Amino acid sequence: MRLVVAFGLVAALATMTTGALAFREARNGVLKQSQDTVIAQLRAQVGRLAPDLTYPPSRQSLRQFAVDVARAEPAATWRVLVRYKGISETSAPGDPFDALTPAVREAVDASQATVFQRVRDGGRTSLLVGMSVVFAGPTGGIPVLSGVQVFLTVPQTGEQASVDALVTAVERAMVPALGAAVLLALFAARGVLRPVRALRRATRSIAEGHLDTRLDVNGSDELADLSHTFNETAAALEQSVAELRAMEARARRFVADVSHELRTPLAAMSAVTDLLDEEAGHLDPDTATAVRLISEETVKLARLVEDLMEVSRFDAGAAVLHLDEIDLAESIRRTLASRGWSDEVETALPGPDALRGRVDPRRLDVVVANLVGNALRHGARPVRIGLSAGVPAEGAPAADVPAVASVIVEVTDSGPGIPADVLPYVFERFYKSDSARTRTEGSGLGLSITEENVRMHGGTIRAANRPEGGAVFTVELPLRRDEPGSGGAS
């Protein structure tokens, strides 16, 4: 649209300028031709009649001279005024001859040349001409002024009609000129904007992940060069992304393969360490300490391998949900009891069957265990876990607690909290704050696995610090329910 408007404005300006110049030249030409014709006729008529004029002329002879000069125009459009030393006579009796201007009168008084001026007379343009009648000097010398002055005024009706026709012609020419300019603008805009629109579509396609998108290159102008550059960039990007994806796939495969290969020797090592734990009481203190250390490290290594296997399943997209409708509060109680945390963790859970939903019980157990275990290891007691209803379901009464769209699990501790510079990274893999770089029981994958499990359920997890001290992890899960007649697992 801007290009069309610009073309229209340029065309309008060019047309108006050209029309104005053409009109001025044509108008001047028409007026000059008319003016030259009138002056030539006046001079010829005065030159023919002047020798018959008695001198000094009487009023009667001046009147007849004026009438005879006016007869030079067959259309009888000439009005003539003849003056001689204060005596003035016109070709038409009683004509006031208002068209005579002081400028023309003074110019005739001061010069022998014929002078003219265009004047407005009665709402129309007229040509006013003035000249002095001269006699030839003795033996062809300098001409002598006779004192007789002739003034002529003639309306330029025909010339005005010609000028008006020119104006009309210019106005009519501007419309097709502007139309042609708009058409040219549309064609030009189409030629310029077609590759630009194609580039926009290609860019969107690249942004949507279609890295094989390319543009057709036509011509050798700047747009063609831009399209060629885009194709080169897209090809380089496609190659780089393909290499990165291949490297990422190899890394995931490597982690999965290594984790899988470690499971068998770790199982054997765990069996051996279990036997050694049973005999540790009969060994000397140093040996018993070493045996227990080996056993603890084997357990940690086994947990790390299991975490790596879980992460590799997430990365490969192989992790699936096995949903079952369960009592969420009872599931949390079983998680705490199975790990011996029932006496260490304070609970704020609803009664039996108060909050039920379709979740993956194993993954919910991992979420609760990782959050509570993290609070027990890195926070301070008391550690508290709560379960409450979240957003009410659409159309459900406010008092209908089970009719909710989500549930909230909140785990808090009373420790120093999470440093502000660590908060944005707590769910990243293997991330540990600078103050916790020492060897700990955790693998650095627990919170990352927790986030993935929550995300698989369509929920969210947030980490923050409480104003009164301590960290708080908040999990919000959508509360799915079994449809009537549906099975319990999927």
Side-chain angles (χ1 to χ4, degrees):
M1 181 57 66
R2 289 195 298 269
L3 191 58
V4 171
V5 171
F7 265 83
L9 291 176
V10 170
L13 180 62
T15 304
M16 291 176 63
T17 303
T18 304
L21 293 175
F23 169 75
R24 188 185 69 177
E25 293 299 323
R27 176 177 177 271
N28 291 340
V30 169
L31 295 179
K32 187 176 187 302
Q33 182 180 6
S34 171
Q35 155 199 312
D36 292 346
T37 302
V38 169
I39 292 175
Q41 288 180 345
L42 178 61
R43 284 176 175 173
Q45 188 72 347
V46 170
R48 186 176 65 85
L49 298 174
D52 298 332
L53 181 65
T54 60
Y55 192 83
S58 64
R59 184 178 294 275
Q60 180 63 31
S61 62
L62 289 178
R63 182 183 305 113
Q64 187 60 43
F65 185 75
V67 171
D68 293 340
V69 172
R71 287 175 181 170
E73 171 56 42
T77 58
W78 282 16
R79 294 162 53 207
V80 179
L81 170 68
V82 180
R83 295 179 61 202
Y84 177 75
K85 294 183 178 181
I87 303 174
S88 299
E89 290 296 332
T90 60
S91 58
D95 186 356
F97 213 84
D98 297 333
L100 182 59
T101 63
V104 171
R105 187 171 56 247
E106 293 172 1
V108 172
D109 291 340
S111 173
Q112 297 181 11
T114 302
V115 297
F116 66 91
Q117 183 182 15
R118 296 186 187 94
V119 295
R120 298 290 295 179
D121 182 18
R124 61 185 180 180
T125 303
S126 299
L127 177 65
L128 176 63
V129 183
M131 62 178 296
S132 296
V133 178
V134 297
F135 296 142
T139 65
I142 299 175
V144 179
L145 290 174
S146 65
V148 178
Q149 296 176 340
V150 180
F151 298 94
L152 166 68
T153 178
V154 55
Q156 295 187 302
T157 307
E159 291 78 2
Q160 185 63 44
S162 299
V163 171
D164 292 341
L166 285 173
V167 173
T168 303
V170 171
E171 290 176 348
R172 290 178 178 176
M174 286 183 63
V175 176
L178 287 176
V182 171
L183 289 178
L184 289 175
L186 291 175
F187 280 113
R190 184 179 179 185
V192 172
L193 297 181
R194 186 192 299 114
V196 174
R197 292 192 181 105
L199 179 61
R200 180 179 62 186
R201 290 193 297 269
T203 304
R204 288 179 177 174
S205 180
I206 290 287
E208 292 171 358
H210 305 292
L211 302 181
D212 57 344
T213 303
R214 298 294 184 272
L215 290 172
D216 295 331
V217 180
N218 299 314
S220 58
D221 56 6
E222 290 81 359
L223 291 173
D225 185 60
L226 178 61
S227 300
H228 181 70
T229 303
F230 174 86
N231 290 340
E232 292 180 345
T233 305
L237 179 62
E238 183 181 17
Q239 182 179 0
S240 300
V241 172
E243 292 175 356
L244 289 174
R245 288 175 176 171
M247 292 172 59
E248 184 179 8
R250 288 195 297 269
R252 290 174 179 173
R253 225 174 14 252
F254 174 76
V255 172
D257 293 343
V258 169
S259 301
H260 181 75
E261 294 299 327
L262 286 176
R263 295 183 73 178
T264 301
L266 278 175
M269 292 173 61
S270 297
V272 172
T273 53
D274 288 343
L275 292 176
L276 291 177
D277 284 340
E278 294 176 0
E279 298 296 330
H282 305 292
L283 301 175
D284 61 89
D286 292 339
T287 304
T289 301
V291 167
R292 292 189 181 94
L293 179 61
I294 292 173
S295 178
E296 292 175 359
E297 295 300 324
T298 301
V299 170
K300 292 179 183 178
L301 184 58
R303 186 180 297 115
L304 175 60
V305 170
E306 290 298 326
D307 289 345
L308 288 174
M309 290 290 291
E310 187 73 2
V311 168
S312 65
R313 282 191 287 270
F314 286 133
D315 290 342
V320 294
L321 288 175
H322 298 280
L323 299 177
D324 193 8
E325 182 163 340
I326 62 173
D327 183 345
L328 301 177
E330 183 60 29
S331 176
I332 293 176
R333 291 189 183 96
R334 285 198 299 267
T335 298
L336 299 178
S338 66
R339 289 165 176 78
W341 292 340
S342 298
D343 296 332
E344 299 183 52
V345 178
E346 298 179 1
T347 59
L349 306 174
D353 292 329
L355 286 176
R356 297 183 63 85
R358 283 173 56 79
V359 297
D360 187 326
R362 184 185 71 83
R363 296 190 183 278
L364 179 61
D365 176 78
V366 171
V367 169
V368 174
N370 283 347
L371 292 180
V372 173
N374 184 76
L376 291 172
R377 284 193 301 272
H378 303 293
R381 291 166 176 74
V383 173
R384 185 174 181 272
I385 184 171
L387 175 67
S388 60
V391 180
E394 185 176 355
D400 191 3
V401 176
V404 293
S406 63
V407 292
I408 295 176
V409 180
E410 193 173 76
V411 178
T412 61
D413 63 66
S414 303
I418 305 173
D421 58 335
V422 176
L423 269 176
Y425 311 103
V426 291
F427 296 109
E428 291 189 4
R429 298 174 183 178
F430 299 107
Y431 183 82
K432 296 181 181 181
S433 63
D434 291 338
S435 60
R437 291 288 182 183
T438 56
R439 185 173 179 81
T440 62
E441 183 180 351
S443 63
L445 292 173
L447 291 179
S448 175
I449 293 174
T450 300
E451 183 185 35
E452 293 290 347
N453 281 316
V454 171
R455 190 177 298 165
M456 287 186 65
H457 283 84
T460 59
I461 183 171
R462 300 182 301 275
N465 290 315
R466 297 191 302 163
E468 60 271 24
V472 55
F473 287 84
T474 304
V475 175
E476 185 171 2
L477 297 175
L479 190 59
R480 309 175 189 179
R481 304 300 300 270
D482 269 337
E483 298 296 334
S486 65
S490 62

